[in-house]
Amino acid sequence: MLIRTTPTIPTREITDERLYLDRRAFIRASVGVAAAGVAGALLPFDEARAQGGAALANVRKSPLSTTGEKLNPLEDITSYNNYYEFGTDKSDPRANSGRFKPAPWTVKIDGEVGKPGDYTLEDLLQRFPLEERIYRLRCVEGWSMVIPWVGFPLRDLLKVVEPSAKAKFVEFTTVQRPSEMPGLRYPVLEWPYREGLRLDEAQHPLTIMAVGLYGKTLLNQNGAPLRLVVPWKYGFKSIKSIVRIRLTTGQPQTSWNLSAPEEYGFYSNVNPQVDHPRWSQARERRLGEFLRRETLMFNGYGDQVAGLYRGLDLKRNF
Ligand SMILES: Nc1nc2c(c(=O)[nH]1)N[C@H]1C(S)=C(S)[C@@H](COP(=O)(O)O)O[C@H]1N2
Ligand SMILES: [Mo]
């Protein structure tokens, strides 16, 4: 991974606070409808709204959120990104993703499933109620953020497609559109961007498909219109702008593992005791803070996920 020193980004706390309070009021106003037992948020998702930053209705606050941590401001989350299809600098994804069209959108789900098919974003949004999940995101490069995602558990989607008894892994693929993604010209990774999880990791309640953050639909730089978020793994596992989900019997190849297998393993669980070959993973810099903090095992989600790895040598399976 191209590593640079993290510039200190000024926190814009006043703007952040105001946005956050507005959103709370908005969500409170929608809670009555959700509590009345409406299954699935009915969201008009037309072209105009799909450009990102459109309000999402009927978002329930999830008890699975990380509590008590200060959220990073929207400005941090939307200006300091990794999305190599738009360039390798942190500012490139925002600067170069203006031509990307996140609508209309279809995800193909196939492989070892009883019900393969093409699912439009509208299908998914009508089928699955949206939740707000506040999660830490820890990049393998040594920085982290706290992000209020909006999405639904991947396990709910997997249930619908009925994994076969032979399904053991899930492979995810990002859309590949050279005319809209200028970074694809450069062979910095194996394109299209691919990632993978073990099926039980994909079915874990913390694993979500995100469609928004801060109560609004995703901007292109954050992976519009649909991306994975796996909070106990390094950020690169959380693949953006997904067009295909394939269930497999064997462990899928992943773009980072293909480009540098000794640096990026299949598991990529956040682990302060296993250093990257070129730098320590013991500490991290939270964007907006000056002093580094200690990185937590499984990014602080060990109580929930350690059981997935019982008996596995985490130094060997990094
Ligand atoms: N398709 C794709 N997905 C991707 C990446 C990428 O380059 N391409 N970068 C990953 C990395 S390294 C990180 S840290 C997170 C960053 O997500 P964010 O920009 O929304 O914070 O996205 C991940 N998903
Ligand atoms: Mo990352």
Side-chain angles (χ1 to χ4, degrees), residues 1 77 80-85 137 139-140 143 145 147 149 174 189 191 193 221-223 227 235-241 256:
M1 193 163 290
I77 301 169
Y80 191 87
N81 300 100
N82 273 334
Y83 198 163
Y84 280 14
E85 288 87 333
L137 181 143
C139 179
V140 73
W143 50 268
M145 295 195 214
I147 302 178
W149 299 108
T174 294
L189 279 177
W191 310 119
Y193 195 103
Q221 59 265 42
N222 293 108
R227 57 92 57 89
F236 66 88
K237 299 297 283 185
S238 293
I239 179 173
K240 296 174 170 179
S241 307
W256 279 106

Side-chain angles (χ1 to χ4, degrees), residues 196-226:
L197 296 173
R198 241 170 38 190
L199 182 58
D200 60 343
E201 297 177 321
Q203 289 171 326
H204 191 279
L206 288 178
T207 303
I208 59 166
M209 299 297 302
V211 296
L213 58 85
Y214 267 118
K216 296 181 175 172
T217 58
L218 292 174
L219 299 180
N220 290 340
Q221 59 265 42
N222 293 108
L226 181 75

Side-chain angles (χ1 to χ4, degrees), residues 15-242:
T15 313
D16 173 43
E17 196 87 64
R18 200 181 56 236
L19 275 169
Y20 186 67
L21 292 174
D22 285 348
R23 188 174 53 88
R24 301 311 309 166
F26 180 74
I27 292 168
R28 256 198 315 281
S30 338
V31 148
V33 186
V38 176
L42 289 167
L43 297 167
F45 206 82
D46 57 38
E47 296 265 341
R49 313 185 94 229
Q51 292 315 305
L56 287 161
N58 298 339
V59 179
R60 313 183 292 193
K61 181 132 184 63
S62 169
L64 293 173
S65 288
T66 302
T67 52
E69 281 197 290
K70 194 154 126 352
L71 302 181
N72 279 92
L74 185 67
E75 175 65 15
D76 286 0
I77 301 169
T78 57
S79 67
Y80 191 87
N81 300 100
N82 273 334
Y83 198 163
Y84 280 14
E85 288 87 333
F86 296 109
T88 54
D89 282 350
K90 294 287 172 283
S91 55
D92 283 343
R94 174 153 81 177
N96 301 334
S97 62
R99 254 184 308 154
F100 182 73
K101 290 190 191 60
W105 197 265
T106 305
V107 186
K108 177 180 287 303
I109 308 182
D110 62 354
E112 290 293 338
V113 293
K115 295 217 171 91
D118 292 341
Y119 292 79
T120 66
L121 192 69
E122 291 85 341
D123 285 347
L124 300 177
L125 289 171
Q126 287 180 15
R127 216 184 267 262
F128 306 110
L130 295 180
E131 301 175 17
E132 180 182 72
R133 296 278 183 102
I134 297 169
Y135 283 161
R136 289 180 285 270
L137 181 143
R138 169 56 157 85
C139 179
V140 73
E141 297 165 335
W143 50 268
S144 64
M145 295 195 214
V146 181
I147 302 178
W149 299 108
V150 177
F152 56 87
L154 175 58
R155 64 185 298 171
D156 294 351
L157 174 55
L158 292 174
K159 233 174 268 165
V160 167
V161 300
E162 298 176 4
S164 82
K166 288 195 286 177
K168 294 288 179 287
F169 295 89
V170 186
E171 176 195 70
F172 305 85
T173 309
T174 294
V175 74
Q176 187 174 21
R177 289 192 201 145
S179 61
E180 299 174 27
M181 300 171 127
L184 288 175
R185 269 190 303 232
Y186 308 101
V188 290
L189 279 177
E190 297 273 338
W191 310 119
Y193 195 103
R194 271 155 290 162
E195 259 308 336
L197 296 173
R198 241 170 38 190
L199 182 58
D200 60 343
E201 297 177 321
Q203 289 171 326
H204 191 279
L206 288 178
T207 303
I208 59 166
M209 299 297 302
V211 296
L213 58 85
Y214 267 118
K216 296 181 175 172
T217 58
L218 292 174
L219 299 180
N220 290 340
Q221 59 265 42
N222 293 108
L226 181 75
R227 57 92 57 89
L228 183 70
V229 179
V230 195
W232 70 94
K233 293 180 180 281
Y234 290 117
F236 66 88
K237 299 297 283 185
S238 293
I239 179 173
K240 296 174 170 179
S241 307
I242 295 166

